[in-house]
Amino acid sequence: MGKNSSQIQSFFRTEKAKKITNRRRNPISRYYKKNLFSLSSISRYYPVESNRPQFIRAPKEFSLTLNTEGMIRFFMTVDKKIRTGRPVYLDMANITVLHEDAILYLISRLDYYELININASIQGNLPNYEPCRILLLQSGFLKYVQTNITQNAENDNIFPIHEGSSADGPIVSEVINFVKRFINFKDYAERFYGPIMECIINTGAHAYSKNASYSKWWMIAIPNNNNKTIHFTVLDNGYGIPNTVRKNYAEIIMRQFGKLNYLSTGIDNKLIVSGLIGEFRTRSGLDHRGKGLPSIFELTTIPYIDNLRVISSHGYVLTGSNLTILESVNLRNKFHGTLISWDFIKIEDISDG
Amino acid sequence: MDKKMVDISIAKDFSLTPGPRYEWQGDFSGQLFRDSFLVKYFTDPNDETIININIDGVEGYPPSFLEETFGGLVRKFGRDRVNKKINIVATKLKYFKEQALKFIQDAKEFSEK
C-alpha cells in the first residue's frame, strides 16, 4: 500500500508528470503557441471549465474542391461548438492539403461570427506541413486574425485575398492584370472582366441587400503547376444561388423535402445548373435580369478557362468546356454563400478568337 | 437639315471599369451611365441627335451594365427611337457591341417609365 502511495507521489513529481499537469492547465501549450492566431484575445489559462477551449481538428484535406462534404461538416461542427459560448480552438496542425477556397470560407465564417457578436473566442494554429503553412501565410489570411507571427509572408506571384462589399471594377481589373502577367490571352483579354464582376455583383444583388453591411465577397488568385494555370476563386457570403433564384411550387417543396431527409434528394444543384444555362430564374420576375450566371458559364467557351466550379447552399456543380456540366451533386449539408472558381490555363499557339 | 451628332467614349468620358446594373450595386453602373449621358437626348421627342457611343478602351463589360444601359433605354423610350439615335462604335470590342445590340433587340419596349 505504502509502496504504491510513494510510486504515485513520485510519478507526479517527474518532469513528465509536470508536463502533463501543465497540459491540463494550459491546453494550448500542446499546440504550437508560436503559431497561434485568434479572432479575439482570450486568457491563455483556463481555470474555469466553461473557459476551457473546445478543440476541433481540421480535416487533413482542407479543401472545398477535394473534400467538399468533409469541409462543410467541419464548419458545421465549428458553428455548433461556437454557439455554446465556450472558446473554440481550430487545430490546423495536421493539414496536408490546403486550398485557397477553404481559406476564403474560413475567413467568411470568422467574419460571420464577429458580425453576430458571438461570445466565444476563436483561436487556432497553422499547419505543420510547410507548403500549407506558407500558402496560408502568403494568402493574406493573417490580415483577418490577431497574431504575433512576424514571418514575412509577401509573395508577388500571388494575388492575395482582396475583399469588398460592392462591385469593385478596379479590383477586378487588378486581378485580371495579375493573371495577364502569366498568360497572354490575346483577343480574349476583355472577356474575363464582365463575368468576374458578375460574381461580385451578385453579392449585393442576391445576397443581403437589406443588410448591405453584411454583403461581402473575397477573392484570390494563385498560380499552380509552374505558373501554367492560375486558380481564381471568389466567395460571397450571401444567401446562395438556390435560395435566391426563382422557383416554382414543386421545386420549393422538393427543396424542403431534400433538406429534411438528408438523403441528398434536394435540387439545389439543378437550380444552379438552371441559373447557369440562363433559364428564367430571376426572382425579381423581370426578364431582363439574370444575366450574371449565364455570363459566368459562358466563360467555359473560352479555351483559356477550365474547371469552372460553383458551390452554393446544397449545390455543387463542376463544368467542362463549351457549356457542359461534368458533375452536379446535391450536398448533404449547407454551404453558406456562393463559391465560384476556375482555372485560367496557359495555352501555347492558340489561334485568336 | 443635318442631324446633330454627339460622340461619347465610355472609357474617356465615363470609366475604364464599367460597373454593375444599378447604382446601389457599385460605382459606374449602367443605370448611372444611361441616366447621365443618354437620357437627356431622349426626353424631347423631337430631338434627333445621333449618339455615337465608343465602347472600346475599357477593361470589359459586365452584361448587366450593357443590358441596363441599352435595354434600359428601350424599356423607357422604345426600340425604334433607340435604333435611330444610338450608334455603337467598336473596333476592338466587337463582342460587346453584338451583346449590346442583342440587348436592344430583346428588351421589352416601354415597360419602364
Side-chain angles (χ1 to χ4, degrees), chain A residues 167 173 190-191 193 198 205 288, chain B residues 17-18 21 25 59 64 92:
Chain A
S173 169
E190 288 83 10
R191 294 275 296 275
Y193 176 84
E198 294 292 349
H288 58 275
Chain B
T17 53
R21 177 184 293 274
Q25 292 175 317
E59 293 285 343
S64 51
K92 196 180 173 206

Side-chain angles (χ1 to χ4, degrees), chain A residues 21 95 113 175 181 225-226 232 251 281 287 320 331:
Chain A
T21 311
I95 291 174
Y113 301 137
V175 72
R181 279 173 41 197
N225 193 17
N226 290 329
F232 169 77
E251 288 170 340
R281 285 288 182 183
D287 56 6
L331 302 168

Side-chain angles (χ1 to χ4, degrees), chain A residues 176-297:
Chain A
I176 292 170
N177 285 329
F178 169 81
V179 179
K180 280 176 4 190
R181 279 173 41 197
F182 301 91
I183 302 174
N184 176 11
F185 291 118
K186 298 180 182 172
D187 282 356
Y188 289 98
E190 288 83 10
R191 294 275 296 275
F192 306 117
Y193 176 84
I196 297 177
M197 280 291 279
E198 294 292 349
C199 289
I200 59 177
I201 288 169
N202 281 345
T203 311
H206 286 174
Y208 292 83
S209 51
K210 288 180 186 165
N211 184 4
S213 62
Y214 186 51
S215 300
K216 272 194 185 174
W217 53 259
W218 297 265
M219 74 167 69
I220 186 168
I222 295 189
N224 291 320
N225 193 17
N226 290 329
N227 298 339
K228 285 180 182 164
T229 63
I230 317 295
H231 189 64
F232 169 77
T233 311
V234 58
L235 169 73
D236 74 50
N237 63 4
Y239 287 125
I241 296 164
N243 294 305
T244 52
V245 295
R246 201 167 65 102
K247 295 171 279 293
N248 59 38
Y249 288 120
E251 288 170 340
I252 292 168
I253 291 165
M254 283 171 76
R255 275 197 91 217
Q256 292 307 319
F257 183 70
K259 278 181 196 169
L260 284 175
N261 65 13
Y262 289 93
L263 289 173
S264 296
T265 55
I267 55 164
D268 284 9
N269 53 332
K270 289 172 188 157
L271 291 172
I272 295 172
V273 171
S274 175
L276 286 171
I277 61 180
E279 290 177 353
F280 180 52
R281 285 288 182 183
T282 168
R283 199 165 59 164
S284 65
L286 301 171
D287 56 6
H288 58 275
R289 299 276 299 274
K291 308 292 181 199
L293 282 171
S295 79
I296 294 164
F297 195 30

Side-chain angles (χ1 to χ4, degrees), chain A residues 91-133:
Chain A
D91 178 13
M92 299 168 66
N94 294 322
I95 291 174
T96 52
V97 177
L98 177 66
H99 285 166
E100 49 273 32
D101 50 15
I103 301 174
L104 295 192
Y105 196 49
L106 174 60
I107 290 170
S108 158
R109 297 314 291 161
L110 294 178
D111 187 72
Y112 172 71
Y113 301 137
E114 278 213 320
L115 180 94
I116 61 173
N117 280 327
I118 213 101
N119 287 329
S121 61
I122 305 169
Q123 288 193 314
N125 54 11
L126 301 185
N128 287 338
Y129 183 53
E130 200 172 355
C132 296
R133 176 210 292 275

